[in-house]
Amino acid sequence: SVVEMDFYHAGALLPLSDDAILEKVKAYLDQMVPAFRPAKVIDAAVVRLPNAVNWYFPGSYRSCPEIRAASLENVYFAGDVVRTRHGSWSQEKAYVTGIQAANSLLGHEVDSGVVPLLPTEPHVAAGRSATKLLRGALGFGNEQNGPSLANFLW
């Protein structure tokens, strides 16, 4: 098995040695998933990315992999960059796609055990509708041609 653990707002971990961080990770995993207690770490990589964030851009979704690799029959993907219809993002999406990848691997229904998102809250739905209308107007009738927030950040 391959397990990845990410720590956010982890400035206190940055000065620790790789071994100290691995000890913490193993202890946390053992606490969260008791079945991991007898597991041994046989390979590990500690990556420190202070002040780093994921950045998705318009159109990047098309480049994201599906849960199951298209070209390798025994490769499955999980994480926040995996294409899924669940609608969650970041750590929640990584969790959901992990369940979906395991379900696919085991031959179960892909969404078995996955809790669907609640319907969009009214103020969020209104904001999305307003944004869609504005992008359509600025895109001369085609919202895909209208600017997104990302256009104003560079």
Side-chain angles (χ1 to χ4, degrees):
S1 297
V2 176
V3 177
E4 178 179 333
M5 182 176 277
D6 295 330
F7 291 90
Y8 294 86
H9 304 289
L13 297 177
L14 290 174
L16 297 179
S17 70
D18 287 2
D19 288 340
I21 291 173
L22 290 172
E23 261 184 59
K24 279 188 175 294
V25 167
K26 181 68 168 98
Y28 291 153
L29 284 172
D30 290 349
Q31 183 178 359
M32 291 184 290
V33 185
F36 282 1
R37 287 187 181 130
K40 302 286 183 233
V41 177
I42 58 171
D43 189 25
V46 175
V47 178
R48 292 171 176 81
L49 301 168
N51 302 317
V53 296
N54 285 338
W55 186 256
Y56 301 99
F57 55 91
S60 65
Y61 187 76
R62 288 187 300 263
S63 300
C64 294
E66 300 279 346
I67 297 287
R68 187 170 188 168
S71 59
L72 300 168
E73 71 178 55
N74 62 342
V75 174
Y76 296 81
F77 296 102
D80 61 349
V81 297
V82 173
R83 195 178 326 169
T84 180
R85 301 308 309 158
H86 185 263
S88 55
W89 285 99
S90 193
Q91 292 172 320
E92 294 80 8
K93 186 174 185 183
Y95 176 77
V96 167
T97 58
I99 292 172
Q100 291 173 326
N103 285 337
S104 294
L105 183 66
L106 296 170
H108 298 174
E109 181 63 37
V110 72
D111 287 325
S112 178
V114 174
V115 178
L117 292 179
L118 296 174
T120 303
E121 296 172 351
H123 66 284
V124 174
R128 285 183 182 155
S129 294
T131 300
K132 188 174 185 176
L133 285 172
L134 182 60
R135 285 191 70 195
L138 295 174
F140 300 102
N142 182 344
E143 72 176 82
Q144 297 302 315
N145 293 335
S148 74
L149 176 61
N151 296 116
F152 299 104
L153 297 177
W154 285 280

